[in-house]
Amino acid sequence: MAELDTGVDVFVRDCVYFQHPKLGLSKGVIVKFFQVDSCKEVYCEIDTLVDFNRFAQIVPDTEAYIPEHVNIIFDMIAIPISSVHAICEKPAEVIKWDELAHSFIRLSHEDSCNYLKPNHLKTKAAGRKVVMLPLILFTDDLSGNKSKKWHKFESWYLMLAGLPRHENAKPENIHFVSCTDLMDVLDMTECVAQQLQQLELDGLIVYDSFYKETVLVIAPLLCVICDNPRASQLLNHLGGSAKKFCRFCMADRDTTPCSVCEERTRDISLQQIQEIQSQRTEKAKSDKSTEVGLRDVPNSLLHILADLFKSIPVEVLHTMLLGACKYFLSHVMPTLSKEHKQQVLARISAFNMSGFSVKIHGNVCRHYKSFVGRDYKAWAQMAIFILHPYLSSGQKRVLLSLSKVFHMAYCSHFEPSQDEQLRHICKEYVDNCMAHMPELVHKQKTHYLLHLVDCMLDYGPSSAFSAERCGSGLRELYNTNAVQHFFNSVPMKLLNKTKTIYQPGCGRKASKNVVLFGTVKIDTQDLSSVTFSQLLTMDPPFQIVGLDFDDARQQSVVQCRAVVSHNNELIHAGDYVKFYAPVNEFMYGQLLTTVQLTSSGATLCFVRGFEAMALADGTSLLNEFDCPLFSLSRTILSVDSSNILGAVSFVHECDATYGPEPRNTLYLSLSMD
């Protein structure tokens, strides 16, 4: 179904007037609708219908005579829906013209009736508007006790695929379907599958408050979001321990773990399940099951219209964070010496985590196995800066290629024309694992990264079909009052001047061979918690830009504890931020303090800017990871609070070759969370 420019809904098998590229205004029957990659416009395939008089003008040497009430299916063309003008009456009878044989093909009475009968959805709509409402199902097991280990509940939830991503994660937009602790997930699928079929084939007539009338809602299944074990259950797949360990293709764990093999589809899988059933002995059935990687159990979901083998995408939380990132950390940590582990902890303590929603604390070297997804998400973005001195060349290649996959998996947008480049990124990571960490290649989650690009092409960036989003929506989110209470009660983040902060690579040794930098100070004056009055009376050589001193001294101000950024983060004094300055466009700096002018109510943020370091010829100075280098400037900018875009993370650079003041040199890390 599609909507014309006039607001009229058209369906498959509707007869319409359209603009033919050669014949001009013509009549035809819509066969199907489709979209072209990288094009937002809807296209349709149309069988062009002509009467005999017009046909005789197009093909003048035709000897046969066709009655006037019969229309001829002349050709099929694909045109944009904008070329369709209106719906018209269908002919009483049709025949086909075969261009190759140069003859007519008469349709049987049954075929002719099926071709001309109206679409069943149009019949049910009976003139009402038709609304398409694609659905996303989320299924997981929940725990019925506080330990999260016992009393398992199987649960299903439903979301509307057409909502914006930030709306989809809200609890009010996640709808409960079913939950039980008395049966297996496959036992619940019969009722779920029956209702999915009804929603897609027949639809529901409901009242629409926007149109203020009843409409027909058609709700096809777009995809099912779940973890990998649950996906195997829903597809009758044997799982990650099987010889054919991939649910997307026929890849073999032992012989072809690094390759994408023959694609699995519903029709092929149902045929393979029938072959398992046809075996005469239990051993033969087991052997056949191992050969194809499927099990023979009743499953109603395999008979719905959607092909679940193409509708359960690779889920990045369990495949990327709890898969590839966890595998790498588990491989590297046991190889570090006690001294190196102490230095790793020192580097983590010195890492500025302003740009991360989750901070890495505690003894990472000991407790990394108990990390959850959000911990691995933060760790994956800082690992290259923390671990690089202790990695072999092969491990560095694996980690760098993993960082590229991570960036791709959490991108906000991409172009479909980049598919080969994205596939190369995933293949490069798997090949590096084969060369330097071969034990990782035989894991199911490593292989699934080879299918990630196909899922992104089908459903968009992977954040749109991540269990992170679904899981967060099931927890209580902040409402407006809660955010305001949090903002008003949170204390200002002040640096403890007496606390020793460890910093990597500065050349000085402390006890227990831990590298340190000393207390955190910027130049000779600590500005991380400066007050507004101190800011106005500050001695040169600091230069404050964007503030009229005489006017500011006469105004009363209220010093704020924090400021909410453009992306709704709470930013404290001392955090590193990305902000917009009208003179220099986007800039980076350190938030010093925030004040609100009582006269106008305007909120001003004072930010110490960072200067991008460059060579004499103007070329930007980069470190070994191709990250731009910055130095702390002597300029403080007055920035409106609405121009604070969000927190970013910087890493201290201690290499003295970068400049005369290496302790004031930083480089931007890989992420802005």
Side-chain angles (χ1 to χ4, degrees), residues 595-606:
V595 298
Q596 187 175 38
L597 304 180
T598 55
S599 59
S600 62
T603 304
L604 297 179
C605 299
F606 292 92

Side-chain angles (χ1 to χ4, degrees), residues 18 20 22-23 26-29 46-52 54-60 62 71-77 94-100 102-104 115:
F18 69 98
H20 194 287
K22 295 181 179 179
L23 304 180
S26 303
K27 185 168 69 172
V29 175
I46 295 185
D47 281 338
T48 306
L49 301 180
V50 295
D51 58 24
F52 180 74
R54 193 171 187 185
F55 179 80
Q57 297 174 2
I58 302 171
V59 188
T62 304
N71 276 195
I72 303 165
I73 303 175
F74 177 67
D75 65 355
M76 179 185 288
I77 64 168
V94 294
I95 63 172
K96 270 190 176 182
W97 168 253
D98 188 340
E99 179 67 28
L100 295 177
H102 205 72
S103 62
F104 293 105
Y115 185 83

Side-chain angles (χ1 to χ4, degrees), residues 447-474:
H447 175 82
Y448 278 172
L449 293 177
L450 297 174
H451 296 280
L452 179 59
V453 176
D454 290 326
C455 296
M456 292 172 63
L457 291 173
D458 289 338
Y459 302 105
S462 56
S463 57
F465 51 87
S466 171
E468 291 178 81
R469 184 164 57 91
C470 301
S472 63
L474 299 178

